[in-house]
Amino acid sequence: MRFPWANILLLTFLALELVSGFFGLTSGSENRAFHMQLHRIAGYGILLTLVWKTANVLRSLKWDRHVSARTASLILSILLVVCLATGVAWSLIGPYQWWIFSGVSWHIYVGAAIIPLLFWHIWYMIRGFPIGFWADRRLFLRTVGAFALGLVAWQATEGLARAANLSGQSRRFTGSYKARDFSGNDFPRVSWLNDSPDPIDSSTWRLRVHGVVNRELEITYPVLLANTAETTATLDCTGGWHSTQRWSGVALRDVVGELEPSDTARSVIVRSVTGYYRKFSLNASQDFLLATHVTEETLSHGHGYPVRLVAPGRRGFEWVKWVTEIEFSETPHWWQPPLPIQ
């Protein structure tokens, strides 16, 4: 193997991409913007490492190996290039879509698909390396150098986007592009699995509040309308867009205060009519809103009528729509899939 250290670098950058990408995907707080910055640096680090790796890959395709091994290497190389290309294109040319998915969604899906195969490939290639190789000073310097060059390449690309006035310069710290702000219901819809319920009749709709509380409640729609609070918050979808709106409804902390949850309550679960739910810590939920209106308009069915959750600083998949239940739970907020699977 001519460049054994290239596999080490790829493994290091891949691990960094996986961790930073996950936290960047699940966090909408600007305080954690460094996750996406690390993700971009690691991405450019992979591109630079591939300059050395490509020669080895091309030569390996000529080896007298089984056709399935050569095919797997070729597919892996193509998928890795596609993943990197979709990410760079999204960050430079602006939002684009192919079929029903946005460019950033393709970047995420392709990246997720190659992770097991790429980890296996790299581990297979380096499994025989002695401990001394991993602790080698030259390997450490190469890693630091590749990371530094990744940082330079990222900043150079950002500078290019600004100099050429490309759409990429306007994206949010999450990588999302602006949709329409303060537009009422005229902005894109957040969607997830099982996300197409029939329209809800607000005259028969009830918000059930239960769990480890001293008393349970059922709140009607007119009661919610009579107790309004407002907040301005940005809905940032993992599909690659964001929209800032004025939301009005009932502050979740007011519901908490009226119920007097048990001392054993550790989290609050917000559940949709579809069965979709997300769980939050009691402290974090103090800033949430159960919204009935968006920028002076009654929520449309597509945006969660009669009530949706507004969760500032959270990504769009946590803004539960068509809310029917609020449950206080004794389990911690992290006791749930990091990304919803229902």
Side-chain angles (χ1 to χ4, degrees), residues 239-310:
W241 58 266
H242 67 88
S243 178
T244 300
Q245 305 286 344
R246 287 189 298 273
W247 307 87
S248 60
V250 177
L252 189 56
R253 62 176 173 270
D254 292 340
V255 177
V256 174
E258 188 173 347
L259 281 176
E260 300 178 359
S262 169
D263 292 339
T264 61
R266 299 178 63 186
S267 62
V268 56
I269 301 170
V270 182
R271 185 172 284 109
S272 168
V273 69
T274 64
Y276 182 93
Y277 74 92
R278 296 306 292 164
K279 183 186 294 187
F280 310 93
S281 69
L282 291 179
N283 288 336
S285 65
Q286 294 299 300
D287 295 328
F288 293 176
L289 187 75
L290 298 172
T292 58
H293 289 72
V294 53
T295 312
E296 286 74 57
E297 292 183 8
T298 301
L299 285 173
S300 66
H301 172 65
H303 285 303
Y305 178 86
V307 175
R308 82 172 300 163
L309 181 69
V310 171

Side-chain angles (χ1 to χ4, degrees), residues 24 50 63 78 220 268 321:
L50 285 177
W63 291 351
I78 292 174
T220 64
V268 56
K321 298 191 289 188

Side-chain angles (χ1 to χ4, degrees), residues 213-245:
V213 294
N214 293 328
R215 64 189 183 94
E216 297 187 355
L217 286 178
E218 280 198 353
I219 304 174
T220 64
Y221 188 65
V223 169
L224 288 182
L225 294 179
N227 298 274
T228 58
E230 289 190 355
T231 189
T232 298
T234 300
L235 175 57
D236 193 327
C237 180
T238 54
W241 58 266
H242 67 88
S243 178
T244 300
Q245 305 286 344

Side-chain angles (χ1 to χ4, degrees), residues 24 49 60 72 86 94 101 185 196 304 306 317 331 337:
T49 305
S60 71
T86 52
F101 299 117
N185 287 289
S196 300
F317 66 85
T331 59

Side-chain angles (χ1 to χ4, degrees), residues 206-210 269-273 322-327:
R206 297 292 185 273
L207 175 62
R208 183 186 175 211
V209 188
H210 63 104
I269 301 170
V270 182
R271 185 172 284 109
S272 168
V273 69
W322 310 292
V323 177
T324 57
E325 289 185 34
I326 305 292
E327 178 184 353

Side-chain angles (χ1 to χ4, degrees), residues 145-165:
F147 189 87
L149 288 174
L151 173 61
V152 171
W154 167 46
Q155 288 299 304
T157 304
E158 294 292 317
L160 173 64
R162 290 189 294 270
N165 198 29

